[in-house]
């Protein structure tokens, strides 16, 4: 049998470990419940988007080989900006297929039209602004910059993001997404950037959680009357 002093120290360690990591255990449980009970399509803001986005069609365009002669190309995409066609070359440069000239960055009016192609028609715009940098906890932290932020008159503080350089409609953010993002941070325990699932804090707390559970099993074993009876039988 384990000595009484050793058992007392084990109980103390188990109690304080449980107290220390208990809050994090609660956050893991709450965030896990939230993730399992929510619709990811709604979190992504799909219910604010048009169900079908009809791509524009263009004709009489000059071939890329004609206007991009001598330019190394590793990717090419046809973009609709304000009802006009442009080639997005290498994910960076917007080229007019009629003149072969690079066009300047998109304007706020063009960003609104791009967002309007994707967002529901009943949504009313309340404002638009340009952002050139974001922090590690910003809701658009992984998106291309600079970008236009388009705000809508919605109780959920709805925003859409359109990249300036490549005219891409990148993301939709709203209240439920922000709650999801906050709980994701508490789940991964990456309190610096939110998205690193291999951070040191998570590893330490996972190890401490394992020790707490194992110490609970040991305490049950050494304090269980049934186990004492079994030990006496086999002596």
């Amino acid at each position: 049998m384990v000595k009484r002093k050793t058992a007392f120290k084990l109980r103390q360690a188990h109690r304080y470990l449980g107290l220390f990591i208990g809050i994090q255990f609660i956050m893991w449980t709450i965030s896990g419940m939230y993730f399992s009970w929510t619709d990811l399509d709604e979190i992504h803001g799909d219910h604010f988007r048009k169900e079908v986005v009809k791509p524009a069609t263009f004709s009489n365009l000059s071939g890329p080989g004609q206007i991009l002669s001598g330019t190394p190309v590793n990717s090419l995409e046809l973009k609709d900006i304000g009802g006009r066609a442009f080639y997005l070359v290498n994910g960076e440069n917007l080229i007019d297929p009629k003149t072969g000239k690079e066009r300047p960055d998109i304007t706020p009016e063009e960003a609104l039209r791009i967002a309007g192609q994707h967002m529901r028609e009943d949504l009313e715009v309340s404002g638009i602004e340009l952002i050139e940098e974001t922090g590690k906890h910003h809701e658009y932290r992984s998106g291309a910059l600079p970008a236009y932020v388009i705000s809508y008159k919605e109780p959920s503080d709805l925003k859409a993001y359109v990249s300036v350089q490549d005219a891409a409609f990148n993301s939709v953010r709203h209240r439920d997404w922000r709650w999801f993002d906050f709980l994701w941070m508490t789940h991964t325990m990456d309190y610096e950037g939110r998205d690193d699932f291999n951070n040191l804090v998570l590893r330490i707390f996972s190890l401490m959680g394992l020790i707490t559970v194992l110490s609970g099993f040991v305490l049950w074993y050494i304090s269980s009357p049934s186990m004492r009876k079994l030990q006496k039988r086999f002596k």
Side-chain angles (χ1 to χ4, degrees):
M1 291 294 293
V2 177
K3 292 182 180 180
R4 187 170 297 179
K5 186 176 181 181
T6 303
F8 176 75
K9 289 183 177 179
L10 186 58
R11 287 191 182 92
Q12 274 193 321
H14 178 78
R15 183 166 61 248
Y16 287 119
L17 268 174
L19 190 63
F20 181 68
I21 66 175
I23 295 176
Q24 182 57 45
F25 271 25
I26 291 173
M27 294 309 300
W28 276 338
T29 304
I30 292 174
S31 58
M33 291 173 63
Y34 186 83
F35 299 153
S36 63
W37 287 357
T38 52
D39 185 343
L40 276 180
D41 290 335
E42 289 191 5
I43 296 298
H44 294 155
D46 290 354
H47 56 301
F48 293 115
R49 301 177 184 234
K50 292 179 179 177
E51 291 186 6
V52 178
V53 178
K54 295 181 180 179
T57 57
F58 302 97
S59 58
N60 302 320
L61 301 178
S62 300
Q66 294 176 291
I67 63 173
L68 299 175
S69 178
T71 302
V73 177
N74 57 47
S75 67
L76 187 67
E77 183 181 354
L78 184 65
K79 306 287 291 189
D80 173 19
I81 303 177
R84 291 184 58 194
F86 291 90
Y87 288 133
L88 176 64
V89 182
N90 301 332
E92 296 179 352
N93 305 314
L94 290 166
I95 306 297
D96 190 325
K98 293 184 177 180
T99 65
K101 294 182 179 179
E102 184 176 353
R103 63 151 290 159
D105 293 335
I106 63 170
T107 64
E109 292 75 18
E110 289 171 330
L112 286 171
R113 291 191 65 174
I114 292 168
Q117 293 172 349
H118 296 266
M119 301 295 282
R120 289 194 338 239
E121 294 180 357
D122 61 306
L123 296 172
E124 185 179 354
V125 175
S126 62
I128 182 171
E129 64 174 316
L130 179 70
I131 57 171
E132 297 184 344
E133 61 181 4
T134 59
K136 292 181 179 180
H137 294 275
H138 195 277
E139 64 185 25
Y140 186 69
R141 56 187 174 272
S142 60
L145 292 169
Y148 287 108
V149 189
I150 301 163
S151 303
Y152 295 86
K153 292 181 180 179
E154 271 286 317
S156 59
D157 191 21
L158 177 64
K159 298 181 187 295
Y161 291 84
V162 177
S163 172
V164 168
Q165 190 174 33
D166 59 5
F169 181 81
N170 283 336
S171 19
V172 175
R173 298 290 182 254
H174 57 106
R175 184 180 55 234
D176 290 347
W177 185 95
R178 295 180 189 106
W179 272 113
F180 188 98
D181 189 46
F182 172 77
L183 290 172
W184 177 252
M185 177 185 68
T186 65
H187 202 76
T188 63
M189 298 193 72
D190 179 15
Y191 298 110
E192 182 177 356
R194 301 195 179 204
D195 299 316
D196 181 12
F197 221 101
N198 295 308
N199 64 82
L200 183 60
V201 177
L202 178 60
R203 292 175 178 176
I204 291 173
F205 269 76
S206 298
L207 183 60
M208 291 172 65
L210 179 62
I211 293 172
T212 303
V213 172
L214 292 177
S215 63
F217 285 137
V218 173
L219 283 172
W220 171 83
Y221 176 80
I222 64 177
S223 60
S224 171
S226 299
M227 295 306 300
R228 288 183 186 142
K229 290 178 180 179
L230 284 175
Q231 287 177 343
K232 289 179 180 179
R233 284 184 183 179
F234 290 103
K235 281 185 178 180

